[in-house]
Amino acid sequence: MEFSFEDFKKRAKDTNLSKWEKIGFPDSYRNGIEQQIFEDIKNKLKLKEAKDVLDIGCGCSELVEHLIHFCNKQQSSLYLLDSNEMLSNIDNTIFGSNIKLIPGCFPDKEVKVKLVNESMDAILVYSVLQYVFIGQSIFQFIHECINLLKSGGRLLLGDIPNFQSRERFLASVNGKEFLSNNVQNTINLDHTNEERIDDSVIMSILLRFRQFGCETYLIPQPGSLPFANRREDILIIKR
C-alpha cells in the first residue's frame, strides 16, 4: 500500500526522518540529485517563460528549494500546495513575497477556493500521481489541474512509477546488472498490481486529455536521474 496524505503528514512531523525520507524516498535516491531533477523539470515546463507556477504536493526537500530560488530570481509567483505539516519543514528564510503557501490536499474544496481566481502558466505534480491513483479519481485530479491552466499552460505529471515499465527494465540485461548493484532501499512498501499504475493507465491519460482540447506527450527522463530506468513523465499542454 502506498502512503496516504495522512501518512505524509505524520512523516512530516517525524524528527527522526530526513527531508527525503519525509517525502517517501531513501536519502540515497535523492541526496545530491535534486538539482539535476530540477533542471529537467525547468526545461519540460519552460519555467523561464512562466509567470505563475503551482507545485502540487511540493514536499520539503531540496527540489522545492531549487524551485523557490528560481522563481525568486525570475520574479514569478509560486504557489506551494501541501499539508501544513509538510510546508512547515521548508526553510521560510528563502521565501520572497512572490511565494504563496496553500495548505491542504488538492483538489479538496477549501484548496480550490484559494486558487479560484488564479490561472497558471505551469503546474508541477512530481512523484505524486501514484498516491492520487490510490486515494481518489486520477482523471478528476488531472481535470482539476488543467482547469487552473492558462491557454498554452503546461502540466507536468512527473516521475510516474509504471510497474510494467519497471518489469521490462528489470528483465533486461541492464536491469539485472542494476539489481546486482542496487542500493538497499530502507523504505519498504507492500504492493498489489491493482494498486499500481501500468501501461494502460499511462496510455489512457495520454488519450483522454487529447479529447479535452489538450496536447499530451510521454517523455523519458534523462538517464542521469535516479528513476529514469523505470519511471515516466507526462506533459500536458492546454490549447
Side-chain angles (χ1 to χ4, degrees):
M1 185 70 175
E2 296 281 10
F3 297 129
S4 68
F5 185 71
E6 292 301 318
D7 291 331
F8 278 113
K9 288 169 67 173
K10 292 175 183 176
R11 297 182 73 82
K13 293 188 292 185
D14 190 338
T15 57
N16 293 317
L17 298 180
S18 70
K19 54 190 170 185
W20 296 288
E21 289 171 328
K22 289 177 188 293
I23 63 170
F25 291 101
D27 291 358
S28 57
Y29 282 4
R30 283 292 189 91
N31 190 2
I33 303 294
E34 293 191 322
Q35 177 66 56
Q36 296 176 56
I37 295 174
F38 176 69
E39 291 300 320
D40 184 47
I41 290 169
K42 181 176 71 175
N43 292 333
K44 288 173 178 172
L45 279 177
K46 292 190 175 181
L47 289 181
K48 286 186 177 181
E49 302 173 13
K51 295 300 181 184
D52 295 283
V53 181
L54 170 63
D55 187 346
I56 298 176
C58 63
C60 62
S61 68
E62 291 174 2
L63 184 58
V64 72
E65 293 175 5
H66 290 308
L67 180 58
I68 291 169
H69 286 304
F70 180 84
C71 288
N72 285 344
K73 184 177 179 180
Q74 293 286 117
Q75 296 185 320
S76 305
S77 295
L78 174 60
Y79 302 81
L80 300 177
L81 200 164
D82 213 317
S83 68
N84 258 321
E85 292 81 357
M86 196 67 76
L87 294 173
S88 67
N89 281 285
I90 303 173
D91 179 8
N92 59 17
T93 65
I94 64 175
F95 292 169
S97 59
N98 57 315
I99 308 300
K100 301 172 177 61
L101 303 184
I102 304 177
C105 182
F106 187 83
D108 288 353
K109 183 177 180 180
E110 60 270 22
V111 170
K112 290 196 293 181
V113 166
K114 296 174 184 177
L115 291 167
V116 68
N117 294 320
E118 310 299 341
S119 56
M120 304 296 162
D121 297 295
I123 297 177
L124 176 62
V125 181
Y126 204 82
S127 300
V128 169
L129 203 65
Q130 63 268 35
Y131 306 113
V132 175
F133 184 70
I134 297 301
Q136 57 183 285
S137 165
I138 195 171
F139 290 137
Q140 180 194 3
F141 178 92
I142 298 171
H143 275 292
E144 296 284 3
C145 290
I146 292 171
N147 288 341
L148 293 172
L149 285 175
K150 300 174 185 176
S151 178
R154 292 179 167 232
L155 166 64
L156 181 62
L157 305 171
D159 207 39
I160 304 170
N162 177 346
F163 92 85
Q164 288 183 308
S165 176
R166 178 181 183 275
E167 293 304 308
R168 286 192 293 272
F169 167 70
L170 293 179
S172 70
V173 172
N174 289 339
K176 291 174 182 176
E177 181 180 355
F178 168 83
L179 282 177
S180 65
N181 298 321
N182 191 20
V183 177
Q184 182 65 34
N185 186 345
T186 58
I187 298 180
N188 297 313
L189 297 174
D190 294 327
H191 294 285
T192 64
N193 287 348
E194 291 81 2
E195 295 174 335
R196 296 182 178 188
I197 293 174
D198 60 14
D199 288 339
S200 67
V201 176
I202 297 292
M203 296 306 167
S204 66
I205 293 171
L206 294 171
L207 293 173
R208 178 181 179 87
F209 291 97
R210 291 187 176 193
Q211 298 177 26
F212 288 91
C214 298
E215 297 299 334
T216 63
Y217 305 91
L218 184 62
I219 308 178
Q221 296 183 353
S224 59
L225 298 192
F227 293 124
N229 50 25
R230 55 206 190 277
R231 294 199 177 192
E232 300 174 305
D233 293 353
I234 293 177
L235 177 66
I236 299 178
I237 302 176
K238 184 176 183 178
R239 294 301 187 193

